Amino acid sequence: MMNERMTAEKARKYLRVNYQTNCKQLAIPSVDIKSPSLSSLPSGSPAGNPTESQIVDSLDKLEPVAREVYWSKKALQRVHIINPLGHKIITECYLRDTIYRVTQDTLAHSLGLSRRKLQEVSRDACCQFAGAMKEISDGNINLVIEF
């Protein structure tokens, strides 16, 4: 059985730190839920050009990051489909750059929700995200905390 409070906290931390860092490494916006293409990464080896070798090596290092962002965006798409309000809360509170992020009180007021209701919807959405990440990544990223 899932510990919702701890799972939601782990998902929030993942979205604020890991996901944001990965998106910055790939120079893609964190709020865009369209998945990046993994097939655009080069797969061949360079023919003796040292500069090209360095570029390919750095792209090879980014492939796991791109895969993780791909899984994250797929999980966010799933949350958007099953819980649009929860997705909006996740986007506004955890995915936006710090200077554009809104407080939960401000968001609750603009959505016409009590702070308690907003926290409940946020917790549910974060748990949905955690479950989707576990499933989509085949357990490679498990944010779910069990009792």
Side-chain angles (χ1 to χ4, degrees), residues 54-111:
Q54 289 173 343
I55 292 170
V56 170
D57 287 346
S58 64
L59 287 174
D60 286 344
K61 290 176 187 168
L62 286 178
E63 188 174 355
V65 174
R67 188 177 307 112
E68 192 171 326
V69 168
Y70 175 80
W71 291 333
S72 298
K73 289 186 180 277
K74 285 297 211 185
L76 287 166
Q77 287 172 342
R78 190 172 294 176
V79 173
H80 180 72
I81 291 166
I82 61 176
N83 186 351
L85 180 58
H87 180 266
K88 180 171 182 59
I89 293 167
I90 285 175
T91 300
E92 296 300 326
C93 294
Y94 311 123
L95 300 185
R96 295 220 182 269
D97 287 334
T98 307
I99 58 172
Y100 299 112
R101 206 174 284 159
V102 297
T103 66
Q104 287 190 353
D105 289 330
T106 302
L107 186 58
H109 180 73
S110 71
L111 296 173

Side-chain angles (χ1 to χ4, degrees), residues 10-24 68 94-95 101:
K10 190 171 181 179
R12 280 194 227 34
K13 183 177 179 185
Y14 174 85
L15 288 166
R16 283 186 180 139
V17 179
N18 300 59
Y19 178 68
Q20 292 287 342
T21 301
N22 290 343
C23 286
K24 286 177 183 170
E68 192 171 326
Y94 311 123
L95 300 185
R101 206 174 284 159

Side-chain angles (χ1 to χ4, degrees), residues 24-48:
K24 286 177 183 170
Q25 280 185 303
L26 297 173
I28 59 172
S30 60
V31 295
D32 180 9
I33 64 170
K34 288 187 276 183
S35 300
S37 172
L38 294 177
S39 63
S40 64
L41 295 173
S43 59
S45 60

